[in-house]
Amino acid sequence: MTVKGFSPLSFLKCKCYYITHKYGLTRARQVYPPSPKTVFFPLGAFASQNAQTEGAKSQGNEIVILHTNDVHCAMDENTGYSGLAAYAKEMQAAYGEDRVTLVDAGDAIQGDVIGTLSDGQWPVDIMNALGYDIFVPGNHEFDYGMKRMLTLMEEMDAQVLSCNFIDLKTGKPVFDPYAIVDYGDTKIAFVGITTPESFSKTSPAYFQDENGNFIYSLCEGEEGKELYDAVQKSVDAAISQGADYVIAVGHLGETSITDPWKASAVIANTTGIDVLIDGHSHEQIVSTAKNQDGEEVIWCQTGTKLSAIGKILIDPQTGSITHQLITGYEEKDPQTEAFLETIRSQYEEKTQTVVAQGAYTLTTMDPDTGQRAIRNSETNLGDFCADAYRYVLDADVAFVNGSGIRADLPAGNITYGDIIAVHPYGNEMCLVEATGQEILDALELGAADCPLESGGFLHVSGMRYTIDTSVPSSVVTNLQGEFLGVEGAYRVKDVFVGDQPLDPQATYRLASHSYFIKEGGDGFNMFTDNNLLLDCVMLDNQALIDYAADYLGGVIGKEYANPRGQGRITIYSWPSDVRSDAWYGPAVSYVWENRIMSGAGDGAFAPSAAVSRAMVYQSLYQLAGAPQSDPSSCTFTDIEGRWFASSAAWAQSTGISAGLGQGRYGGDQPVTRQELAKIFTGYAQLMDMPLEEASLEDFSDAASVAGWSLEAMEKAVGSGLISEIDGRLSPSATATRAQLAQILLNLHSLQEA
């Protein structure tokens, strides 16, 4: 096997990396009776005019499989569909029209504007125009409901395959489990596999009858065995009918996927598969994995939104299989571009209509790391969406799941298309009566994977809560991922509705969308039988528009300035780099448990790290109860959009910070120990706390204390706020986070005395 990194191909304007493996063609395997649904068909959907040629590479008998996955309606992003069409024509010019097959591994018809506005029709039309030959449904193919999904699959020209999507009334697959393509000298079987995660990653209700009984299965039982058996049965049946190669096309995924249903697990528990084309986890994978017999199986995935084109080249003469990921391809097919333009013209006018103005960017991302945050922490966009639900439906509280928020909202003009990109799935707004216990259970399920990502992570409005990640999750679910209960301690704590603790016995008006309330999406089945007060009254994206227009006056303003949100969700765990028996252990415990200081990232506290002005005033702001403050009324010029904007405004309004002069707050500037003395004695004065003074003459470096800080240092030492370090005050030394925590604990002790 040879693995190479990215390298340019002179005959294509692209980059690729590839993996090659050679197989013998002699096989001896157990077989099942032939399937009556097996299909033999020659393929070749693209014209080859105006195509560049790769003829020098072709020996005349190679077979090319081009594949995509998780396109999510990305008509023009990255390579784009017209780029894919151009590349497919090049391959047909090089290898022959009847020796190129186009395959998609699912999640094609939902995820952006063209899917939402057409209920999935436009993506199907595009795939038909490109001439896709094989399609395997992913979890998001079910997002429009089972009836609509089945209709769309009927309208798709490609052969729709899934060996494990079973109609329980008949016990048979809904679609053909596999198809055999005859290339004249070689037969290749394609076996379709749909992730059992579809139950929780779309809506369990889609797989049920009106009484809540499951009428469809995805072979989700027996810790993976049922799925492996379904795949093996189809592989063996295809081989028994003369397939020379077997290519599994699975919407399975790997990273953050339920263990028994990962692509690697399916490979490890089956035999006979030569290549697994994968999807679902949005990764770019070019690798191999060993099957049940220890044989290497090529395993590939193209990422998402046409960030790459997968290319498998099979040479029947030598038995070699080569795989590439083609990225950066620049050519566009004019015929496909013309067709795409007909679709663009249908939605462009509506999507470009401005519906609101944004004073700040509302984000799904962590502003410091640039990584996605919407599925494991609070953001201002999560707050905005939840607020829209609560206000528009006049609810007590509102939930929105992190995976339902798919794009940022920009500052400036916000269009209808921007709003749809945030909520592309077309869920409908509902209002339900829910008990406090049901709300607590929902929060617990949403927090089960925290701090790891979870699509069910819950953003809230009208309430706040804490997740203690040091408490192991004891949530119990069934095989379909539906909530069954909590068997141990709750990691969700300190839940407040408004200013009052959540009452488990009380009833609240809960707003969310149909996916969450009626359909049990992401496993949240605790509300499906509750009393519906409002049933599917509007689309969720329309609720965002109405909230911005009617409740915010068309401007999404200062209340959503902080990208980390308004402090509704606190995530707590004991920091990984602090020993409880360290001198600062009790102090860290105090600031950590009381949410006065936050971590430094990756579960650490960083006790030796330098303290900044923003950290100091933020901790005092938290200690004061995080009172309402208006950053726009502050005269500091360097706080807009920063995480500490509210605390900086509060510090200025109370008079404990005048900044650094010339309008600068200097939030990132390190703080010395004598500056801490000045700041904390100022805070004590604000809180009317009496402080005792002490002489500094016993300290060897007392003369080093600046005149502007001398009185503050005398009070800080005399009251026990600041202690010496090896007999020295070290006034000019930069303070550490551990020292700040200790001063905060000392201040607390002084207040309690």
Side-chain angles (χ1 to χ4, degrees), residues 468-705:
D468 185 350
T469 61
S470 67
V471 177
S473 173
S474 55
V475 167
V476 180
T477 62
N478 62 15
L479 292 171
Q480 288 80 32
E482 296 177 304
F483 179 81
L484 295 179
V486 180
E487 290 189 341
Y490 280 70
R491 55 189 358 216
V492 169
K493 303 175 179 179
D494 302 329
V495 184
F496 284 79
V497 176
D499 295 327
Q500 299 299 315
L502 178 76
D503 182 352
Q505 305 304 316
T507 299
Y508 300 89
R509 292 160 56 92
L510 169 67
S512 192
H513 46 59
S514 52
Y515 171 82
F516 181 84
I517 288 177
K518 294 181 65 176
E519 299 162 5
D522 288 318
F524 292 95
N525 61 351
M526 57 282 295
F527 309 109
T528 54
D529 295 328
N530 289 19
N531 179 34
L532 273 174
L533 303 174
L534 294 174
D535 187 0
C536 295
V537 293
M538 66 175 67
L539 291 178
D540 54 2
N541 42 48
Q542 188 63 48
L544 304 188
I545 294 173
D546 289 357
Y547 174 60
D550 299 338
Y551 292 85
L552 300 180
V555 179
I556 304 173
K558 59 189 178 184
E559 61 267 48
Y560 299 106
N562 190 339
R564 299 185 186 279
Q566 298 173 12
R568 303 174 187 180
I569 305 171
T570 300
I571 300 173
Y572 166 80
S573 63
W574 183 253
S576 59
D577 58 348
V578 174
R579 290 173 54 94
S580 60
D581 59 355
W583 68 263
Y584 50 80
V588 172
S589 178
Y590 164 69
V591 299
W592 197 256
E593 293 181 8
N594 290 281
R595 302 188 294 278
I596 299 170
M597 290 179 67
S598 59
D602 296 326
F605 184 78
S608 300
V611 169
S612 68
R613 287 172 55 82
M615 290 180 195
V616 176
Y617 288 113
Q618 182 71 24
S619 65
L620 291 174
Y621 176 65
Q622 293 295 121
L623 192 64
Q628 290 287 335
S629 63
D630 183 2
S632 66
S633 66
C634 181
T635 61
F636 294 139
T637 60
D638 55 350
I639 68 169
E640 184 175 354
R642 301 298 299 275
W643 62 270
F644 50 77
S646 293
S647 59
W650 167 81
Q652 185 183 61
S653 68
T654 58
I656 64 171
S657 175
L660 300 179
Q662 298 181 333
R664 291 182 60 246
Y665 176 62
D668 297 323
Q669 181 167 311
V671 174
T672 64
R673 284 169 53 83
Q674 62 186 352
E675 286 176 315
L676 279 184
K678 186 73 171 178
I679 293 170
F680 271 84
T681 54
Y683 178 81
Q685 182 177 357
L686 177 68
M687 296 299 171
D688 295 323
M689 295 173 56
L691 298 177
E692 297 182 8
E693 291 189 15
S695 171
L696 305 181
E697 61 184 13
D698 291 337
F699 297 97
S700 60
D701 57 350
S704 300
V705 178

Side-chain angles (χ1 to χ4, degrees), residues 51-97:
Q52 299 177 23
T53 180
E54 194 184 9
K57 303 287 288 185
S58 174
Q59 302 301 314
N61 60 352
E62 296 97 334
I63 298 165
V64 177
I65 313 297
L66 300 180
H67 63 92
T68 56
N69 59 268
D70 297 282
V71 177
H72 286 295
C73 303
M75 185 168 66
D76 298 312
E77 292 185 46
N78 300 307
T79 298
Y81 273 124
S82 60
L84 173 62
Y87 187 73
K89 287 183 177 181
E90 290 194 16
M91 295 302 97
Q92 290 193 324
Y95 295 96
E97 292 184 18

Side-chain angles (χ1 to χ4, degrees), residues 150 166-172 174 207 209 214-217:
L150 295 175
I166 308 298
D167 184 337
L168 292 176
K169 297 188 297 292
T170 65
K172 296 180 180 179
V174 176
F207 300 86
D209 62 17
F214 281 94
I215 57 175
Y216 294 99
S217 167

Side-chain angles (χ1 to χ4, degrees), residues 69 105 250-254 263 276-280 285 299-302:
N69 59 268
H251 193 83
L252 294 168
E254 187 65 16
L276 174 61
I277 294 172
D278 195 17
H280 189 39
I285 297 173
W299 170 26
C300 45
Q301 189 182 153
T302 65

Side-chain angles (χ1 to χ4, degrees), residues 122-134:
W122 287 339
V124 170
D125 293 343
I126 293 171
M127 296 181 76
N128 287 345
L130 263 72
Y132 271 89
D133 302 300
I134 301 291

